[in-house]
Amino acid sequence: MATSICPSCRAPVSNQLARNCTQCGASIEAAFTVGTLVAGQYSIVRVIGAGGSGQIYLAEDTRTFNRRCVLKRTLLGSSPADHARFASEAQTLTKLRHPQVPQVYAFFEEGDSAYIAMEYIAGRDLEQGLSQQLADGTFLPGQARSLPQVLHDGITVCSILEHLHSRTPPVIHCDIKPANLIRASESN
């Protein structure tokens, strides 16, 4: 039996008829269950996050030997302008090439939702990693990162933004924050 996952707090929800999470009260109507096959290709592994307009899932692309990817689901409005804006933004994202920007593999619409499948980066977001990392890879919560680590992260983010803003037309992220920046486990 598939288990539903709350898109807000990630708690398992065993009652498939539930409309709200029993842990946090968030709506779970729009969340996919683990194992759901989207577009006949992407098998949902777990919820990564959720926001006001949709959810982000870890998925496996069954057509590429179960390569792990991020599947971003956004609820679309009904106007043609909403669909055109999504297609335009998705096409721009597929053309981006930068070693520190996840590659977009595909985009599509299904029902009232738009999807972007992109490279999965295993690691921790900077909000989780705002503490001091020890030599064994663990973190001391509540301790500030060292100045060299903060400078390195800031310079890296500025380099990425410089690349995005130098494109024609410029690509503007609009939601830069520590929770949206991932430090890859492999390369740090």
Side-chain angles (χ1 to χ4, degrees), residues 1-23:
M1 174 187 201
T3 301
S4 192
I5 303 293
C6 172
S8 294
C9 73
R10 300 185 188 159
V13 180
S14 57
N15 180 354
Q16 296 299 310
L17 301 176
R19 298 179 75 153
N20 294 83
C21 174
T22 55
Q23 298 292 320

Side-chain angles (χ1 to χ4, degrees), residues 15-128:
N15 180 354
Q16 296 299 310
L17 301 176
R19 298 179 75 153
N20 294 83
C21 174
T22 55
Q23 298 292 320
C24 72
S27 172
I28 57 171
E29 291 182 88
F32 288 130
T33 57
V34 172
T36 298
L37 195 62
V38 178
Q41 181 171 351
Y42 301 98
S43 178
I44 301 300
V45 175
R46 67 176 169 88
V47 175
I48 293 175
S53 64
Q55 302 88 29
I56 300 172
Y57 298 93
L58 176 61
E60 291 179 340
D61 184 343
T62 61
R63 294 186 186 164
T64 59
F65 307 103
N66 294 329
R67 171 181 62 192
R68 291 216 158 176
C69 64
V70 169
L71 189 63
K72 182 178 180 183
R73 177 187 188 199
T74 303
L75 299 175
L76 284 178
S78 58
S79 78
D82 290 336
H83 295 266
R85 188 178 320 102
F86 167 73
S88 175
E89 289 177 9
Q91 287 173 359
T92 298
L93 294 175
T94 61
K95 295 174 186 172
L96 290 178
R97 295 290 181 267
H98 187 278
Q100 292 156 323
V101 174
Q103 182 180 353
V104 172
Y105 299 137
F107 63 94
F108 58 94
E109 292 182 27
E110 188 173 82
D112 62 351
S113 298
Y115 299 86
I116 296 178
M118 65 182 80
E119 180 182 4
Y120 171 63
I121 307 295
R124 295 168 52 118
D125 66 49
L126 291 186
E127 185 173 67
Q128 293 173 331

